[in-house]
Amino acid sequence: MRTYGQYCPIARGAEIFAERWTPLIIRNLHLGCAGFGEILEGAPGLSRTLLSQRLRQLERLGVVVSSPKPGGRGRHYALTPAGHDLFEVCKALGEWGAHWLEIAPEHLDPFVALWSMCNVLRRDRLPDQRVVIGFDFTFPGDRRADERFWLLIEHGETEICRTYPGLDEDLYITAEAEAFIKWHAGQLAWADAVRDDRIRLHGPAWLVRAFPTWNARSAFAHIKPVRAAART
């Protein structure tokens, strides 16, 4: 770990917090990702080797604690009191980013939006039976190829699949990646996205009506971007 060589608490704290991927690892642990694979899934682009290094470092610093899983394979990770306090720094950074930074084309990763949505689903509103939802995400005006995912919901548990799971789809959604992400982020109303055909749903009427009610939205959905605030 690099050091600034200063006694200043900002400098010493930044030595830990400003390490690449560390804030996202803290975020994922706060959201309840307890296994190595769960933490990794919520941070596309992070390698297994680097995640191992970061977790060991955070354990040494007293930010994360781990214990063997009951089955004996893998470890269970959790934040310590110091880790929960560090998440408050993540939260403050997120509030600043939501207010001052716009969602740029390079941020349009629909998998991350689905993953985030699954971590904040209103599980009391989910149907009792298994539901399979297919998603086709488009990138209008971009050379980027469309992306497809499937969301499996059963007994309140969710799984995102990158390949066809072999189950018939109960609901099929075609969405502009930007529209879906901005809806989850609280920057676009569902009714507006549907009215403008930026999000289209095909399936039973009850599922079409129910789907948007499952999303508890981003933790920063209440924050209005500064440019949007300037227009009002």
Side-chain angles (χ1 to χ4, degrees):
M1 184 176 66
R2 297 176 181 176
T3 176
Y4 291 105
Q6 296 184 20
Y7 70 87
C8 171
I10 294 176
R12 289 186 285 125
E15 289 172 357
I16 300 171
F17 184 77
E19 285 274 14
R20 182 167 170 78
W21 294 107
T22 292
L24 274 63
I25 294 169
I26 299 297
R27 177 201 66 187
N28 292 0
L29 287 165
H30 172 80
L31 289 172
C33 298
F36 188 92
E38 292 175 296
I39 300 169
L40 194 67
E41 184 181 41
L46 173 59
S47 71
R48 298 181 66 88
T49 299
L50 187 54
L51 176 56
S52 295
Q53 292 174 357
R54 289 289 184 270
L55 287 172
R56 287 197 299 269
Q57 178 187 39
L58 292 171
E59 282 198 78
R60 287 196 304 269
L61 293 166
V63 174
V64 171
V65 64
S66 73
S67 58
K69 287 185 176 180
R73 295 185 62 184
R75 300 188 70 80
H76 179 280
Y77 296 92
L79 294 175
T80 64
H84 286 293
D85 274 359
L86 189 57
F87 174 74
E88 295 302 314
V89 181
C90 294
K91 182 179 176 182
L93 181 63
E95 291 172 348
W96 180 87
H99 184 62
W100 291 103
L101 303 176
E102 290 199 51
I103 297 175
E106 59 267 25
H107 302 143
L108 299 179
D109 188 337
F111 177 85
V112 173
L114 276 178
W115 180 88
S116 176
M117 190 181 80
C118 286
N119 279 279
V120 294
L121 281 177
R122 292 173 172 163
R123 299 187 184 276
D124 59 318
R125 299 187 180 187
L126 296 179
D128 294 330
Q129 73 268 34
R130 182 179 66 195
V131 173
V132 180
I133 305 173
F135 292 87
D136 264 335
F137 289 104
T138 62
F139 301 83
D142 195 346
R143 294 182 181 179
R144 184 172 172 181
D146 295 351
E147 295 184 15
R148 190 165 203 196
F149 303 99
W150 288 264
L151 175 61
L152 279 59
I153 302 174
E154 188 169 16
H155 303 305
E157 298 298 323
T158 61
E159 181 182 356
I160 305 170
C161 301
R162 294 179 181 269
T163 57
Y164 179 56
L167 300 168
D168 291 338
E169 297 158 344
D170 300 294
L171 182 66
Y172 178 69
I173 298 175
T174 303
E176 294 180 14
E178 181 183 23
F180 190 88
I181 289 168
K182 288 191 172 181
W183 165 61
H184 178 64
Q187 297 183 18
L188 179 66
W190 178 261
D192 293 339
V194 172
R195 183 195 62 221
D196 297 337
D197 283 335
R198 299 187 68 190
I199 298 179
R200 298 181 295 278
L201 297 87
H202 309 277
W206 72 271
L207 261 180
V208 170
R209 290 192 302 269
F211 176 79
T213 71
W214 302 342
N215 184 14
R217 312 291 282 277
S218 162
F220 308 105
H222 63 287
I223 299 174
K224 182 175 287 189
V226 68
R227 293 197 178 184
R231 291 194 293 267
T232 60

